[in-house]
Coordinates of all heavy atoms in Angstrom, one line a residue:
M1 N 0.8 -1.2 0.0 CA 0.0 0.0 0.0 C 0.9 1.2 0.0 O 1.8 1.4 0.8 CB -0.9 0.0 1.3 CG -1.9 1.1 1.3 SD -3.0 0.9 2.6 CE -2.7 2.3 3.6
E2 N 0.6 2.2 -0.9 CA 1.3 3.4 -1.0 C 1.0 4.3 0.1 O -0.2 4.5 0.5 CB 1.1 4.0 -2.4 CG 2.1 5.1 -2.7 CD 1.9 5.6 -4.1 OE1 1.8 4.7 -5.0 OE2 1.9 6.8 -4.3
Q3 N 2.0 5.0 0.6 CA 1.8 6.0 1.7 C 1.3 7.3 1.2 O 1.7 7.7 0.1 CB 3.1 6.1 2.5 CG 3.5 4.9 3.2 CD 4.8 5.1 3.9 OE1 5.5 6.1 3.8 NE2 5.3 4.1 4.6
S4 N 0.5 8.0 2.0 CA 0.1 9.3 1.6 C 1.2 10.4 1.7 O 2.2 10.1 2.4 CB -1.1 9.8 2.4 OG -0.7 10.1 3.8
E5 N 1.0 11.5 1.1 CA 2.0 12.6 1.2 C 2.2 13.0 2.7 O 3.4 13.3 3.1 CB 1.6 13.8 0.4 CG 1.6 13.5 -1.1 CD 1.1 14.6 -1.9 OE1 0.7 15.7 -1.4 OE2 1.1 14.5 -3.2
T6 N 1.2 13.1 3.4 CA 1.3 13.5 4.8 C 2.1 12.5 5.6 O 2.9 12.9 6.4 CB -0.1 13.7 5.5 OG1 -0.9 14.6 4.6 CG2 0.0 14.2 6.9
E7 N 1.9 11.2 5.4 CA 2.6 10.2 6.1 C 4.1 10.3 5.8 O 5.0 10.1 6.6 CB 2.1 8.8 5.8 CG 0.7 8.5 6.4 CD 0.2 7.2 5.8 OE1 0.4 6.8 4.7 OE2 -0.6 6.5 6.6
L8 N 4.4 10.5 4.5 CA 5.8 10.7 4.1 C 6.4 11.9 4.8 O 7.6 11.8 5.2 CB 5.9 10.8 2.6 CG 5.6 9.5 1.8 CD1 5.6 9.8 0.3 CD2 6.6 8.5 2.1
M9 N 5.7 13.0 4.8 CA 6.3 14.2 5.4 C 6.5 14.0 6.9 O 7.5 14.5 7.5 CB 5.4 15.4 5.2 CG 5.4 15.9 3.8 SD 4.5 17.4 3.5 CE 2.8 16.8 3.4
L10 N 5.6 13.3 7.6 CA 5.8 13.0 9.0 C 7.0 12.1 9.3 O 7.6 12.1 10.3 CB 4.6 12.4 9.6 CG 3.4 13.3 9.7 CD1 2.1 12.6 10.1 CD2 3.7 14.5 10.7
K11 N 7.4 11.3 8.3 CA 8.6 10.4 8.4 C 9.9 11.1 8.0 O 10.9 10.5 7.9 CB 8.4 9.2 7.5 CG 7.3 8.3 8.1 CD 7.2 7.0 7.2 CE 6.1 6.1 7.9 NZ 5.9 4.9 7.1
G12 N 9.8 12.4 7.7 CA 11.0 13.2 7.3 C 11.3 13.4 5.9 O 12.3 14.0 5.5
Y13 N 10.4 13.0 5.0 CA 10.5 13.2 3.6 C 10.2 14.7 3.3 O 9.4 15.3 3.9 CB 9.6 12.3 2.8 CG 10.0 10.9 2.7 CD1 9.9 10.0 3.7 CD2 10.5 10.4 1.5 CE1 10.3 8.7 3.6 CE2 10.9 9.1 1.4 CZ 10.8 8.3 2.4 OH 11.2 6.9 2.3
G14 N 10.8 15.2 2.2 CA 10.6 16.5 1.7 C 10.4 16.5 0.2 O 10.7 15.5 -0.4
L15 N 9.9 17.6 -0.3 CA 9.7 17.6 -1.8 C 11.0 18.0 -2.5 O 11.6 19.0 -2.2 CB 8.6 18.6 -2.1 CG 8.1 18.7 -3.5 CD1 7.5 17.4 -3.9 CD2 7.1 19.8 -3.7
T16 N 11.4 17.1 -3.4 CA 12.6 17.3 -4.2 C 12.1 17.6 -5.6 O 11.4 16.9 -6.2 CB 13.5 16.1 -4.2 OG1 13.9 15.8 -2.8 CG2 14.7 16.3 -5.0
T17 N 12.6 18.7 -6.1 CA 12.4 19.1 -7.5 C 13.7 19.2 -8.2 O 14.6 19.8 -7.8 CB 11.7 20.5 -7.5 OG1 10.5 20.5 -6.7 CG2 11.4 20.9 -9.0
A18 N 13.7 18.5 -9.4 CA 15.0 18.4 -10.2 C 14.7 18.9 -11.6 O 13.6 18.5 -12.1 CB 15.5 17.0 -10.2
E19 N 15.6 19.6 -12.1 CA 15.5 20.0 -13.5 C 16.6 19.4 -14.3 O 17.8 19.6 -14.0 CB 15.6 21.6 -13.7 CG 15.5 22.1 -15.1 CD 15.5 23.6 -15.1 OE1 16.0 24.2 -14.2 OE2 15.0 24.1 -16.1
F20 N 16.3 18.5 -15.2 CA 17.2 17.8 -16.0 C 17.5 18.5 -17.3 O 16.5 18.8 -18.1 CB 16.7 16.3 -16.3 CG 16.6 15.5 -15.1 CD1 15.6 15.6 -14.2 CD2 17.6 14.5 -14.9 CE1 15.5 14.7 -13.1 CE2 17.5 13.7 -13.8 CZ 16.5 13.8 -12.9
F21 N 18.7 18.7 -17.7 CA 19.1 19.3 -19.0 C 19.7 18.1 -19.8 O 20.6 17.5 -19.3 CB 20.1 20.4 -18.8 CG 19.6 21.6 -18.1 CD1 19.7 21.7 -16.7 CD2 19.0 22.6 -18.8 CE1 19.2 22.8 -16.1 CE2 18.5 23.7 -18.2 CZ 18.6 23.8 -16.8
Y22 N 19.1 17.8 -20.9 CA 19.6 16.7 -21.7 C 19.7 17.1 -23.2 O 19.1 18.0 -23.7 CB 18.7 15.5 -21.5 CG 17.3 15.7 -22.0 CD1 16.9 15.2 -23.3 CD2 16.3 16.3 -21.2 CE1 15.6 15.4 -23.7 CE2 15.0 16.5 -21.7 CZ 14.7 16.0 -23.0 OH 13.4 16.2 -23.4
H23 N 20.6 16.3 -23.9 CA 20.7 16.5 -25.3 C 19.6 15.8 -26.1 O 19.3 14.6 -25.7 CB 22.1 16.0 -25.8 CG 23.2 16.8 -25.2 ND1 23.7 17.9 -25.8 CD2 24.0 16.5 -24.1 CE1 24.7 18.4 -25.0 NE2 24.9 17.5 -24.0
M24 N 19.0 16.4 -27.0 CA 18.0 15.7 -27.9 C 18.7 14.6 -28.7 O 19.8 14.8 -29.2 CB 17.4 16.7 -28.9 CG 16.7 17.9 -28.2 SD 15.2 17.3 -27.4 CE 14.1 16.9 -28.8
P25 N 18.1 13.4 -28.7 CA 18.7 12.3 -29.4 C 19.0 12.5 -30.9 O 20.1 12.2 -31.4 CB 17.7 11.2 -29.2 CG 16.9 11.5 -28.1 CD 16.8 13.0 -28.1
D26 N 18.1 13.2 -31.6 CA 18.3 13.4 -33.0 C 19.1 14.7 -33.3 O 19.6 14.8 -34.4 CB 16.9 13.5 -33.7 CG 16.2 12.2 -33.7 OD1 16.9 11.1 -33.5 OD2 15.0 12.2 -33.8
Y27 N 19.1 15.6 -32.4 CA 19.8 16.9 -32.5 C 20.8 17.1 -31.3 O 20.4 17.8 -30.4 CB 18.9 18.1 -32.6 CG 17.9 17.9 -33.8 CD1 16.6 17.3 -33.5 CD2 18.2 18.2 -35.1 CE1 15.7 17.1 -34.6 CE2 17.4 18.0 -36.1 CZ 16.1 17.5 -35.9 OH 15.2 17.3 -36.9
I28 N 21.9 16.5 -31.3 CA 22.8 16.4 -30.2 C 23.2 17.7 -29.6 O 23.6 17.8 -28.5 CB 24.0 15.4 -30.5 CG1 24.6 14.9 -29.2 CG2 25.0 16.1 -31.4 CD1 23.8 14.0 -28.4
H29 N 23.2 18.8 -30.5 CA 23.7 20.1 -30.0 C 22.5 20.9 -29.4 O 22.7 22.1 -29.0 CB 24.3 20.9 -31.2 CG 25.5 20.2 -31.7 ND1 26.7 20.0 -30.9 CD2 25.8 19.5 -32.9 CE1 27.6 19.4 -31.6 NE2 27.0 19.1 -32.8
V30 N 21.3 20.3 -29.3 CA 20.2 21.0 -28.8 C 19.9 20.5 -27.4 O 19.8 19.3 -27.2 CB 18.9 20.8 -29.7 CG1 17.7 21.5 -29.0 CG2 19.2 21.4 -31.1
L31 N 19.8 21.4 -26.4 CA 19.5 21.0 -25.0 C 18.0 21.2 -24.8 O 17.4 22.1 -25.3 CB 20.2 21.9 -24.0 CG 21.7 21.5 -23.8 CD1 22.3 22.5 -22.8 CD2 21.9 20.1 -23.3
N32 N 17.4 20.3 -24.0 CA 16.0 20.3 -23.6 C 16.0 20.2 -22.1 O 16.9 19.7 -21.5 CB 15.2 19.3 -24.3 CG 13.7 19.6 -24.4 OD1 13.3 20.7 -23.9 ND2 12.9 18.7 -25.0
T33 N 14.8 20.5 -21.5 CA 14.7 20.3 -20.0 C 13.5 19.4 -19.7 O 12.6 19.3 -20.5 CB 14.5 21.6 -19.3 OG1 13.3 22.2 -19.8 CG2 15.7 22.6 -19.6
F34 N 13.6 18.8 -18.5 CA 12.6 17.9 -18.0 C 12.5 18.2 -16.5 O 13.6 18.2 -15.8 CB 12.9 16.5 -18.3 CG 12.0 15.5 -17.7 CD1 10.7 15.3 -18.2 CD2 12.3 14.8 -16.5 CE1 9.8 14.4 -17.7 CE2 11.4 13.9 -15.9 CZ 10.2 13.7 -16.5
I35 N 11.3 18.4 -16.0 CA 11.2 18.7 -14.5 C 10.6 17.4 -13.9 O 9.7 16.8 -14.4 CB 10.2 19.9 -14.3 CG1 10.7 21.1 -15.0 CG2 10.0 20.1 -12.8 CD1 11.9 21.7 -14.5
W36 N 11.2 17.1 -12.7 CA 10.8 15.9 -12.0 C 10.6 16.3 -10.5 O 11.4 17.0 -10.0 CB 12.0 14.9 -12.1 CG 11.8 13.6 -11.3 CD1 11.2 12.5 -11.7 CD2 12.4 13.3 -10.0 NE1 11.3 11.5 -10.7 CE2 12.0 12.0 -9.7 CE3 13.0 14.1 -9.1 CZ2 12.4 11.4 -8.4 CZ3 13.4 13.5 -7.8 CH2 13.0 12.2 -7.6
Q37 N 9.5 15.8 -9.9 CA 9.2 16.1 -8.5 C 8.8 14.8 -7.8 O 8.1 14.0 -8.3 CB 8.1 17.0 -8.3 CG 8.5 18.5 -8.4 CD 7.3 19.4 -8.0 OE1 6.2 19.1 -8.2 NE2 7.7 20.5 -7.5
E38 N 9.3 14.6 -6.6 CA 9.0 13.4 -5.8 C 9.4 13.7 -4.3 O 10.2 14.5 -4.1 CB 9.9 12.2 -6.3 CG 9.5 10.9 -5.7 CD 8.2 10.4 -6.1 OE1 7.9 10.3 -7.3 OE2 7.4 10.0 -5.2
Y39 N 8.7 13.0 -3.4 CA 9.1 13.1 -2.0 C 10.3 12.2 -1.8 O 10.3 11.1 -2.2 CB 7.9 12.7 -1.1 CG 6.8 13.8 -1.1 CD1 5.7 13.8 -1.9 CD2 7.0 14.9 -0.2 CE1 4.8 14.8 -1.9 CE2 6.0 15.9 -0.2 CZ 4.9 15.8 -1.0 OH 4.0 16.9 -1.0
D40 N 11.3 12.8 -1.2 CA 12.6 12.1 -1.1 C 13.2 12.5 0.3 O 12.9 13.5 0.9 CB 13.5 12.5 -2.2 CG 14.5 11.5 -2.6 OD1 14.6 10.4 -1.9 OD2 15.2 11.6 -3.6
L41 N 14.2 11.7 0.7 CA 14.9 11.9 1.9 C 16.2 12.6 1.7 O 17.0 12.1 0.9 CB 15.2 10.6 2.7 CG 14.0 9.9 3.4 CD1 14.4 8.5 3.8 CD2 13.6 10.8 4.5
A42 N 16.4 13.7 2.3 CA 17.7 14.4 2.2 C 18.6 13.9 3.4 O 18.1 13.5 4.4 CB 17.5 15.9 2.4
P43 N 19.9 13.9 3.3 CA 20.7 14.4 2.2 C 21.1 13.4 1.1 O 21.8 13.7 0.2 CB 22.0 14.9 2.9 CG 22.1 13.9 4.0 CD 20.7 13.5 4.4
D44 N 20.7 12.1 1.3 CA 21.1 11.1 0.4 C 20.3 11.0 -0.9 O 20.8 10.6 -2.0 CB 21.0 9.7 1.0 CG 21.9 9.6 2.2 OD1 23.0 10.2 2.2 OD2 21.6 8.8 3.1
H45 N 19.0 11.5 -0.9 CA 18.2 11.5 -2.1 C 18.1 10.2 -2.9 O 18.5 10.2 -4.1 CB 18.6 12.7 -3.0 CG 18.5 14.0 -2.3 ND1 17.3 14.6 -2.1 CD2 19.5 14.8 -1.9 CE1 17.6 15.8 -1.5 NE2 18.9 15.9 -1.3
P46 N 17.7 9.1 -2.3 CA 17.8 7.8 -3.0 C 16.8 7.8 -4.2 O 17.2 7.2 -5.2 CB 17.3 6.8 -1.9 CG 16.6 7.6 -0.9 CD 17.2 9.0 -0.9
K47 N 15.7 8.4 -4.1 CA 14.7 8.3 -5.3 C 15.3 9.1 -6.5 O 15.1 8.7 -7.6 CB 13.4 8.8 -4.9 CG 12.6 7.9 -4.0 CD 11.2 8.3 -3.7 CE 10.5 7.4 -2.8 NZ 9.1 7.8 -2.6
L48 N 15.9 10.3 -6.2 CA 16.5 11.1 -7.2 C 17.6 10.3 -8.0 O 17.6 10.3 -9.2 CB 17.0 12.4 -6.7 CG 17.8 13.3 -7.7 CD1 16.9 13.7 -8.8 CD2 18.3 14.5 -7.0
F49 N 18.5 9.7 -7.2 CA 19.6 9.0 -7.8 C 19.1 7.8 -8.5 O 19.7 7.4 -9.6 CB 20.7 8.7 -6.8 CG 21.4 10.0 -6.4 CD1 21.3 10.5 -5.1 CD2 22.2 10.7 -7.3 CE1 22.0 11.7 -4.8 CE2 22.9 11.8 -7.0 CZ 22.8 12.3 -5.7
D50 N 18.1 7.1 -8.0 CA 17.5 6.0 -8.8 C 16.9 6.5 -10.1 O 17.1 5.8 -11.1 CB 16.4 5.3 -8.0 CG 16.9 4.5 -6.8 OD1 18.1 4.2 -6.8 OD2 16.1 4.1 -6.0
F51 N 16.3 7.6 -10.1 CA 15.7 8.2 -11.4 C 16.8 8.5 -12.3 O 16.7 8.3 -13.6 CB 14.8 9.4 -11.1 CG 14.1 9.8 -12.4 CD1 13.1 9.1 -12.9 CD2 14.6 11.0 -13.0 CE1 12.5 9.5 -14.1 CE2 14.0 11.4 -14.2 CZ 12.9 10.7 -14.7
I52 N 17.9 9.1 -11.8 CA 19.1 9.4 -12.7 C 19.7 8.2 -13.3 O 20.0 8.1 -14.5 CB 20.1 10.2 -11.9 CG1 19.6 11.6 -11.6 CG2 21.4 10.3 -12.7 CD1 20.5 12.4 -10.7
E53 N 19.8 7.1 -12.5 CA 20.3 5.8 -13.1 C 19.3 5.3 -14.1 O 19.8 4.7 -15.1 CB 20.5 4.8 -11.9 CG 21.7 5.2 -11.0 CD 21.8 4.2 -9.8 OE1 21.0 3.3 -9.7 OE2 22.6 4.5 -9.0
F54 N 18.0 5.4 -13.9 CA 17.0 4.9 -14.8 C 17.2 5.7 -16.1 O 17.1 5.1 -17.2 CB 15.6 5.1 -14.3 CG 14.5 5.0 -15.3 CD1 14.1 3.8 -15.8 CD2 13.9 6.2 -15.8 CE1 13.1 3.7 -16.7 CE2 12.9 6.1 -16.8 CZ 12.5 4.8 -17.3
W55 N 17.3 7.0 -16.0 CA 17.5 7.9 -17.2 C 18.7 7.4 -18.0 O 18.6 7.2 -19.2 CB 17.6 9.3 -16.8 CG 17.7 10.3 -18.0 CD1 18.7 10.4 -18.9 CD2 16.7 11.2 -18.3 NE1 18.4 11.4 -19.8 CE2 17.1 11.9 -19.5 CE3 15.5 11.6 -17.8 CZ2 16.4 12.9 -20.1 CZ3 14.7 12.6 -18.4 CH2 15.2 13.2 -19.6
Q56 N 19.8 7.2 -17.4 CA 21.0 6.9 -18.1 C 20.9 5.5 -18.7 O 21.5 5.2 -19.8 CB 22.2 6.9 -17.1 CG 22.6 8.4 -16.7 CD 23.6 8.4 -15.7 OE1 23.9 7.5 -14.9 NE2 24.3 9.6 -15.6
R57 N 20.1 4.6 -18.1 CA 20.0 3.3 -18.6 C 18.9 3.1 -19.7 O 19.1 2.4 -20.7 CB 19.6 2.3 -17.4 CG 19.6 0.9 -17.7 CD 19.3 0.1 -16.4 NE 18.0 0.4 -15.9 CZ 17.8 1.0 -14.7 NH1 18.8 1.4 -14.0 NH2 16.6 1.3 -14.3
E58 N 17.8 3.9 -19.6 CA 16.7 3.7 -20.5 C 16.4 4.8 -21.5 O 15.7 4.5 -22.5 CB 15.4 3.5 -19.6 CG 15.5 2.3 -18.7 CD 15.5 1.0 -19.4 OE1 15.0 0.8 -20.5 OE2 16.1 0.0 -18.8
I59 N 16.8 6.0 -21.2 CA 16.4 7.2 -22.1 C 17.5 7.5 -23.1 O 18.7 7.5 -22.7 CB 16.1 8.4 -21.2 CG1 15.1 8.1 -20.1 CG2 15.7 9.6 -22.1 CD1 13.7 7.8 -20.6
E60 N 17.2 7.7 -24.3 CA 18.2 7.9 -25.3 C 18.9 9.3 -25.2 O 20.1 9.4 -25.6 CB 17.5 7.9 -26.7 CG 17.0 6.5 -27.1 CD 16.5 6.5 -28.5 OE1 16.8 7.4 -29.3 OE2 15.7 5.6 -28.8
G61 N 18.2 10.3 -24.7 CA 18.9 11.6 -24.6 C 19.9 11.7 -23.5 O 19.5 11.6 -22.3
P62 N 21.2 11.8 -23.8 CA 22.2 11.8 -22.7 C 22.1 13.1 -21.9 O 21.8 14.2 -22.4 CB 23.5 11.8 -23.5 CG 23.2 12.2 -24.9 CD 21.8 11.9 -25.1
L63 N 22.3 12.9 -20.6 CA 22.2 14.0 -19.6 C 23.3 15.0 -19.8 O 24.5 14.6 -19.9 CB 22.2 13.5 -18.2 CG 20.9 12.9 -17.7 CD1 21.0 12.3 -16.3 CD2 19.7 13.8 -17.7
H64 N 23.0 16.3 -19.7 CA 24.0 17.3 -19.7 C 24.3 17.7 -18.3 O 25.4 17.8 -17.8 CB 23.5 18.5 -20.5 CG 24.4 19.7 -20.4 ND1 24.3 20.7 -19.5 CD2 25.5 20.0 -21.2 CE1 25.3 21.6 -19.7 NE2 26.0 21.2 -20.7
S65 N 23.2 18.0 -17.5 CA 23.3 18.4 -16.1 C 22.0 18.2 -15.4 O 21.0 18.1 -16.0 CB 23.8 19.8 -16.0 OG 23.0 20.7 -16.6
V66 N 22.1 18.2 -14.1 CA 20.9 18.1 -13.2 C 21.0 19.2 -12.1 O 22.0 19.3 -11.5 CB 20.7 16.7 -12.6 CG1 19.5 16.7 -11.7 CG2 20.7 15.6 -13.7
R67 N 19.9 19.9 -12.0 CA 19.8 20.9 -10.9 C 18.7 20.6 -10.0 O 17.6 20.3 -10.5 CB 19.6 22.3 -11.5 CG 20.3 23.4 -10.9 CD 20.2 24.7 -11.7 NE 18.9 24.9 -12.3 CZ 18.6 26.1 -12.9 NH1 19.4 27.0 -12.9 NH2 17.4 26.2 -13.4
F68 N 18.9 20.6 -8.7 CA 17.7 20.2 -7.8 C 17.7 21.0 -6.6 O 18.7 21.6 -6.1 CB 17.8 18.7 -7.5 CG 18.9 18.2 -6.6 CD1 18.6 18.1 -5.2 CD2 20.1 18.0 -7.0 CE1 19.6 17.7 -4.3 CE2 21.1 17.5 -6.2 CZ 20.8 17.4 -4.8
T69 N 16.5 21.0 -6.0 CA 16.3 21.6 -4.7 C 15.5 20.7 -3.8 O 14.7 19.9 -4.3 CB 15.7 23.0 -4.8 OG1 15.6 23.7 -3.6 CG2 14.3 22.9 -5.4
H70 N 15.6 20.9 -2.5 CA 14.8 20.0 -1.6 C 14.2 21.0 -0.5 O 14.8 21.8 0.0 CB 15.7 19.0 -0.9 CG 15.1 18.1 0.1 ND1 14.4 17.0 -0.3 CD2 15.0 18.2 1.4 CE1 13.9 16.4 0.7 NE2 14.2 17.1 1.8
R71 N 12.9 20.7 -0.2 CA 12.2 21.5 0.8 C 11.4 20.6 1.7 O 10.6 19.8 1.2 CB 11.3 22.5 0.1 CG 10.4 23.2 1.0 CD 11.0 24.4 1.7 NE 10.0 25.2 2.4 CZ 10.2 25.7 3.6 NH1 11.3 25.5 4.2 NH2 9.2 26.3 4.2
K72 N 11.8 20.7 3.0 CA 10.9 19.9 4.0 C 9.7 20.7 4.2 O 9.7 21.9 4.4 CB 11.7 19.8 5.3 CG 12.4 18.5 5.5 CD 12.9 18.4 6.9 CE 12.4 17.1 7.4 NZ 13.1 16.7 8.6
M73 N 8.6 20.0 4.0 CA 7.3 20.7 4.1 C 6.8 20.9 5.5 O 6.1 21.8 5.9 CB 6.2 19.9 3.3 CG 6.6 19.7 1.8 SD 7.0 21.2 0.9 CE 5.3 21.6 0.5
I74 N 7.1 19.9 6.4 CA 6.8 20.0 7.8 C 8.0 20.4 8.6 O 9.0 19.6 8.6 CB 6.1 18.8 8.3 CG1 4.8 18.5 7.6 CG2 5.9 18.8 9.8 CD1 4.1 17.2 8.0
A75 N 8.1 21.6 9.1 CA 9.3 22.0 9.8 C 8.8 23.0 10.9 O 7.7 23.5 10.8 CB 10.3 22.6 8.8
P76 N 9.7 23.4 11.8 CA 9.3 24.4 12.8 C 9.0 25.7 12.0 O 9.7 26.1 11.1 CB 10.6 24.6 13.6 CG 11.4 23.4 13.4 CD 11.0 22.8 12.1
G77 N 7.9 26.3 12.5 CA 7.5 27.6 11.9 C 8.4 28.7 12.2 O 9.2 28.7 13.2
E78 N 8.4 29.7 11.4 CA 9.1 30.9 11.7 C 8.3 31.9 12.6 O 7.1 32.1 12.2 CB 9.5 31.6 10.4 CG 10.4 32.8 10.6 CD 10.7 33.5 9.3 OE1 11.2 32.8 8.4 OE2 10.6 34.7 9.2
W79 N 8.8 32.3 13.7 CA 8.1 33.2 14.6 C 8.8 34.5 14.6 O 10.0 34.6 14.8 CB 8.0 32.6 15.9 CG 7.2 33.3 16.9 CD1 5.8 33.3 17.1 CD2 7.6 34.3 17.8 NE1 5.4 34.1 18.0 CE2 6.5 34.8 18.5 CE3 8.9 34.8 18.2 CZ2 6.6 35.7 19.5 CZ3 9.0 35.8 19.2 CH2 7.8 36.2 19.8
R80 N 8.0 35.6 14.5 CA 8.5 37.0 14.6 C 7.7 37.8 15.6 O 6.4 37.7 15.5 CB 8.6 37.7 13.3 CG 9.6 37.0 12.3 CD 9.7 37.7 11.0 NE 8.4 38.1 10.5 CZ 8.2 38.6 9.3 NH1 9.3 38.9 8.5 NH2 7.0 38.9 8.8
N81 N 8.3 38.6 16.4 CA 7.6 39.4 17.3 C 7.2 40.7 16.6 O 8.0 41.4 16.0 CB 8.5 39.8 18.5 CG 7.7 40.6 19.5 OD1 6.5 40.6 19.6 ND2 8.5 41.3 20.4
V82 N 5.9 41.0 16.5 CA 5.3 42.1 15.9 C 5.2 43.2 16.9 O 4.5 43.1 17.9 CB 4.0 41.8 15.2 CG1 3.4 43.1 14.5 CG2 4.2 40.7 14.1
V83 N 5.8 44.4 16.7 CA 5.8 45.4 17.6 C 4.7 46.5 17.3 O 4.1 47.0 18.2 CB 7.2 46.2 17.7 CG1 7.2 47.3 18.7 CG2 8.3 45.2 18.0
G84 N 4.4 46.7 16.1 CA 3.4 47.7 15.7 C 2.3 47.1 15.0 O 2.3 45.9 14.6
E85 N 1.3 48.0 14.7 CA 0.1 47.6 14.0 C -0.3 48.7 13.1 O -0.3 49.9 13.5 CB -1.0 47.2 15.0 CG -2.3 46.8 14.3 CD -3.4 46.4 15.3 OE1 -3.1 45.8 16.4 OE2 -4.5 46.8 15.1
F86 N -0.6 48.4 11.8 CA -1.1 49.4 10.9 C -2.6 49.1 10.6 O -2.9 48.0 10.3 CB -0.3 49.3 9.6 CG 1.1 49.7 9.7 CD1 2.1 48.7 9.8 CD2 1.5 51.0 9.7 CE1 3.4 49.1 9.9 CE2 2.8 51.4 9.9 CZ 3.8 50.4 10.0
R87 N -3.4 50.1 10.7 CA -4.8 50.0 10.4 C -5.1 50.6 9.0 O -4.7 51.7 8.8 CB -5.7 50.6 11.5 CG -5.6 49.9 12.7 CD -6.6 50.4 13.7 NE -6.7 49.5 14.8 CZ -7.9 49.1 15.3 NH1 -9.0 49.5 14.8 NH2 -7.9 48.2 16.3
V88 N -5.8 49.9 8.2 CA -6.2 50.4 6.9 C -7.7 50.5 6.8 O -8.3 49.4 7.0 CB -5.6 49.5 5.7 CG1 -6.1 50.1 4.4 CG2 -4.1 49.4 5.8
N89 N -8.2 51.6 6.7 CA -9.7 51.8 6.6 C -10.1 52.3 5.3 O -9.7 53.2 4.7 CB -10.2 52.7 7.7 CG -10.1 52.1 9.1 OD1 -9.6 51.0 9.2 ND2 -10.4 52.8 10.1

């Protein structure tokens, strides 16, 4: 049974977004992009690296580069002390 997004976040997973730059198979000098998102565990990112291995094994377009970011969705909130108040009427 697949786990829900909330269950994954409670287990420490965060949203990983990767942008893949790859060469077009028929036009090797042309770069294209592909966006990939998945809940993954930082700092090892096992799902991301599995997908990169899949790409290199199965996809014809050779990778040029991969850029990614990771964001934990459930984390301590940011708290700021508000000293003043502005009223707009």
Side-chain angles (χ1 to χ4, degrees):
M1 185 171 117
E2 193 170 316
Q3 297 177 354
S4 71
E5 293 175 358
T6 305
E7 290 172 328
L8 288 172
M9 287 187 281
L10 290 172
K11 290 182 179 181
Y13 284 75
L15 187 63
T16 299
T17 304
E19 184 176 19
F20 290 80
F21 294 90
Y22 64 96
H23 295 277
M24 297 291 289
D26 294 337
Y27 304 97
I28 199 68
H29 298 294
V30 177
L31 283 178
N32 203 1
T33 62
F34 176 77
I35 303 295
W36 176 89
Q37 277 189 328
E38 186 70 49
Y39 285 95
D40 208 354
L41 284 171
D44 296 332
H45 301 286
K47 290 186 180 183
L48 174 61
F49 288 113
D50 285 346
F51 185 76
I52 291 172
E53 289 174 5
F54 166 79
W55 184 292
Q56 291 174 335
R57 189 177 60 248
E58 301 291 332
I59 307 293
E60 290 183 23
L63 285 175
H64 175 270
S65 59
V66 178
R67 217 171 39 171
F68 72 95
T69 185
H70 179 83
R71 171 81 173 138
K72 265 190 125 167
M73 304 303 275
I74 296 179
E78 182 179 312
W79 184 85
R80 294 185 312 188
N81 185 20
V82 177
V83 179
E85 180 178 320
F86 293 100
R87 290 187 168 230
V88 178
N89 290 359

